[in-house]
Amino acid sequence: MHPPGRRPTGPAELSPPMSTAEPLRLPSALRARVATARRVVAFTGAGISQESGLATFRGGGESLWERFRPEELATPQAFHAHPRRVWGWYAWRHRAADAAEPNPGHRALARMAAVFPFFTLVTQNVDGLHQRAGSPEVLELHGTLTRAHCGRCGAARPMASALAESAEEPPPCPCGGRFRPAVVWFGEPLPGGVLERAVAESSRCDLFLAVGTSATVYPAAGLIEVARGAGAAVIEVNPEASALASLADLCVPRPAGHALPALLEAMERCRKPAS
Ligand code: BV8
Ligand code: ZN
């Protein structure tokens, strides 16, 4: 294992197996860390929802951002200038998220919470799939698509009810303001308590999983650096190397829906009392 702070010469990488069903064998140094880990943080991005059919932002394939530049949609300025376009995009994403089902990757993380004494799930996603997979507590760094709030008075309501009232343009609020999705746009601060809690847990975890994220959006991606700097073992699950893959002790180049159930099994094997 690499001493805290020193950049590893590069992560060990599991060669992508011929069959994704084969068990995942952790390198021995990592097995030792998993066996004794008490505090674990799982940090997820859009990639974990890709196998639920939800397009990622920057990955290959049908990526959300390919058709739009982020500045065109996910900013307060875009909402102010083109409310119908931005509201319509979120209406489309809300419909897609509503129709999607959590995949085995979401469900494996929900089960992983029971394997360790302290397990924190931090997501950049707004699709609500972790909650629907049964994760008991989810720190949503970038807010949620499931709620809307008034940009003027803060009144909150379910996004479904706001969309039922008007799918074409943001519905008005009695205060004279209008509703917007309860997500964090570029240039907006992350929800105070949530970011602080995520940083606190990342700075004291023994094991940090970065799953399905390109690690390009800050301050969220900085959690990986915080965990690394605090001496945690870092495992990345992503078919492509993220911008911070060099900080990982292990890269698992498999889709999360296959890698996470296999990783959960490997963790349970590591932590089973020797018979
Ligand atoms: C802020 C919600 C300050 C809305 C989103 C340095 C410090 C601080 C800020 C900045 C900084 N540098 C730049 C900034 C500004 C900016 C930023 O980071 N810009 C980037 C583009 C450079 N940050 C901000 O503006 C943040 N706010 O800093 O405020 C402030 C402080 C006080 C007062 C005022 C202001 C706010 C950022 C939040 C923006 N909102 N989403 C919405 O969803 O519509 S960001 C958006 O990107 C999503 O949340 C998304 O999750 C997130 C990150 O993307 P990823 O999740 O990583 O997704 P991506 O598509 O990129 O990657 C998917 C990965 O999955 C790929 O690697 C792919 O290989 C992999 N994959 C694909 N399939 C699979 C898979 N992996 C596993 N399994 C598979 N099957
Ligand atoms: Zn209002």
Side-chain angles (χ1 to χ4, degrees):
M1 210 36 61
H2 308 285
R6 214 164 59 73
R7 278 182 184 261
T9 46
E13 179 164 306
L14 288 177
S15 57
M18 298 306 282
S19 106
T20 46
E22 78 182 79
L24 191 147
R25 281 199 53 73
L26 295 173
S28 59
L30 203 45
R31 278 205 302 275
R33 293 294 295 272
V34 169
T36 56
R38 289 182 49 72
R39 292 184 170 277
V40 175
V41 172
F43 171 61
T44 65
I48 196 170
S49 296
Q50 186 265 339
E51 290 155 275
S52 294
L54 297 184
T56 62
F57 288 79
R58 299 167 191 85
E62 189 224 346
S63 146
L64 284 182
W65 289 138
E66 254 148 33
R67 291 199 299 282
F68 310 101
R69 283 187 307 111
E71 299 70 26
E72 286 168 0
L73 296 167
T75 68
Q77 296 76 7
F79 184 60
H80 182 72
H82 309 288
R84 295 172 66 88
R85 179 190 300 169
V86 175
W87 186 253
W89 185 53
Y90 282 98
W92 175 72
R93 288 179 62 197
H94 184 270
R95 271 194 302 279
D98 229 15
E101 287 300 324
N103 64 57
H106 296 105
R107 284 197 288 275
L109 287 186
R111 288 200 304 274
M112 205 178 281
V115 175
F116 298 94
F118 301 95
F119 185 87
T120 306
L121 177 58
V122 184
T123 190
Q124 301 170 92
N125 300 342
V126 296
D127 55 34
L129 289 180
H130 282 303
Q131 290 89 333
R132 287 169 53 195
S135 286
E137 189 195 6
V138 183
L139 297 183
E140 293 178 308
L141 290 179
H142 294 160
T144 175
L145 251 186
T146 61
R147 286 196 305 279
H149 64 249
C150 168
R152 178 183 287 183
C153 72
R157 67 191 287 194
M159 186 65 169
S161 96
L163 288 169
E165 184 181 331
S166 160
E168 284 70 44
E169 61 184 333
C173 174
C175 81
R178 63 186 169 189
F179 283 92
R180 53 163 285 179
V183 300
V184 178
W185 278 326
F186 289 104
E188 294 186 323
L190 275 57
V194 178
L195 179 61
E196 273 64 36
R197 177 87 191 285
V199 169
E201 294 302 335
S202 302
S203 59
R204 61 175 178 172
C205 67
D206 307 304
L207 182 63
F208 187 96
L209 310 180
V211 180
T213 182
S214 60
T216 50
V217 172
Y218 282 83
L223 296 176
I224 305 170
E225 295 158 322
V226 166
R228 176 85 250 173
V234 177
I235 298 176
E236 174 166 284
V237 174
N238 192 330
E240 312 283 329
S242 79
L244 298 179
S246 63
L247 299 185
D249 295 281
L250 176 70
C251 288
V252 182
R254 296 185 198 173
H258 289 94
L260 289 177
L263 182 60
L264 174 63
E265 215 183 296
M267 288 170 155
E268 288 166 336
R269 272 200 310 276
C270 286
R271 296 177 66 88
K272 206 162 49 198
S275 43

